[in-house]
Amino acid sequence: VALHFLQASTLRCLLEPWCRELGFIICYGAIVLKLYRHLVEFRTRKAHRWVVRDLDLLRYLCAMCVAVLCYLAAFTATSMDFLRYSELVWKVENTDDQVTSNMCRPLKWDYVTEAGELLILGFGLQLAIASRNANTQFRERQFLVASILIEFLASSTFYILRFWYLGEFNPSTLFLALFIRSQLTNTVTLALIFLPKLWYQHKQ
């Protein structure tokens, strides 16, 4: 969302997906992997306990980041080809002229990206259901599940509304919707992850 305060340009439209998707996979990829560790530790018998180390989680997260980087590289290459015939800055019709908005042109590629995000979040919710009886310190699992659920509901609602009513949204309304979603997801997620730990440490 911070990039939207800059003037719309081809460079900004190319940078937006990189910032969004890398931030998404680092944040929610780490949460999904934490839920995976809770599930493994809960289902493993004590006599044959399999411990998922932090280093293992870091390796998995790096692999996920590499996959996203490859995907974004393909997106950027496709967008560069698209620039030969059109531009990425979204222009809206206003009376007799076309006014340049401060938004980037919606692309079909965005739907693929959004579907991938929801699949990752859905997988995280599946892990949460499978490990629902696991006991974790600071009730960590409940807060991680809440952050994924909020992101899933907020993003899916935003994507559905944008898909059906994109033609009726003006750029200002779309920017406001992006800002609200950012606060409902990013800010709340950070609060759910860090505030409980700080609270429990303060009580001790």
Side-chain angles (χ1 to χ4, degrees):
V1 175
L3 287 176
H4 287 82
F5 290 101
L6 303 176
Q7 183 63 34
S9 63
T10 299
L11 179 60
R12 201 201 80 179
C13 292
L14 291 175
L15 285 177
E16 274 187 26
W18 286 81
C19 295
R20 162 68 185 174
E21 300 312 319
L22 283 177
F24 176 88
I25 199 63
I26 291 173
C27 177
Y28 293 99
I31 293 176
V32 169
L33 290 175
K34 289 279 286 184
L35 290 173
Y36 169 71
R37 178 161 68 177
H38 293 160
L39 178 62
V40 169
E41 293 178 351
F42 174 69
R43 287 189 171 180
T44 303
R45 296 181 179 179
K46 294 183 179 180
H48 304 283
R49 190 175 182 83
W50 180 35
V51 178
V52 181
R53 301 172 300 171
D54 291 336
L55 182 59
D56 295 328
L57 295 181
L58 184 60
R59 289 174 179 171
Y60 299 152
L61 184 60
C62 288
M64 296 169 70
C65 289
V66 170
V68 171
L69 286 172
C70 294
Y71 174 82
L72 290 172
F75 165 79
T76 304
T78 304
S79 299
M80 296 298 289
D81 289 336
F82 180 76
L83 288 173
R84 295 181 181 180
Y85 309 101
S86 185
E87 55 184 333
L88 296 177
V89 178
W90 190 13
K91 292 186 177 181
V92 293
E93 295 183 0
N94 185 6
T95 63
D96 297 331
D97 300 324
Q98 279 192 333
V99 179
T100 301
S101 69
N102 202 36
M103 302 292 293
C104 298
R105 182 188 300 275
L107 301 175
K108 299 298 183 184
W109 193 286
D110 296 336
Y111 300 143
V112 180
T113 306
E114 294 161 5
E117 290 181 2
L118 295 180
L119 284 175
I120 292 174
L121 295 173
F123 178 68
L125 292 175
Q126 183 181 6
L127 292 177
I129 294 173
S131 62
R132 60 186 177 275
N133 294 324
N135 293 322
T136 56
Q137 193 176 20
F138 310 130
R139 300 181 64 185
E140 183 182 35
R141 193 195 69 84
Q142 287 86 340
F143 293 113
L144 295 178
V145 173
S147 63
I148 287 186
L149 183 60
I150 292 172
E151 171 69 28
F152 182 84
L153 293 176
S155 293
S156 59
T157 302
F158 173 76
Y159 293 150
I160 292 172
L161 291 177
R162 188 175 65 173
F163 176 78
W164 288 109
Y165 300 105
L166 179 62
E168 302 177 14
F169 283 171
N170 59 56
S172 299
T173 304
L174 194 56
F175 173 76
L176 179 61
L178 283 169
F179 180 79
I180 294 174
R181 186 191 70 161
S182 176
Q183 297 304 313
L184 286 176
T185 56
N186 301 336
T187 305
V188 173
T189 296
L190 292 175
L192 288 173
I193 291 175
F194 293 108
L195 289 182
K197 294 182 179 180
L198 295 175
W199 171 253
Y200 278 104
Q201 289 180 356
H202 175 71
K203 289 179 63 177
Q204 292 178 354

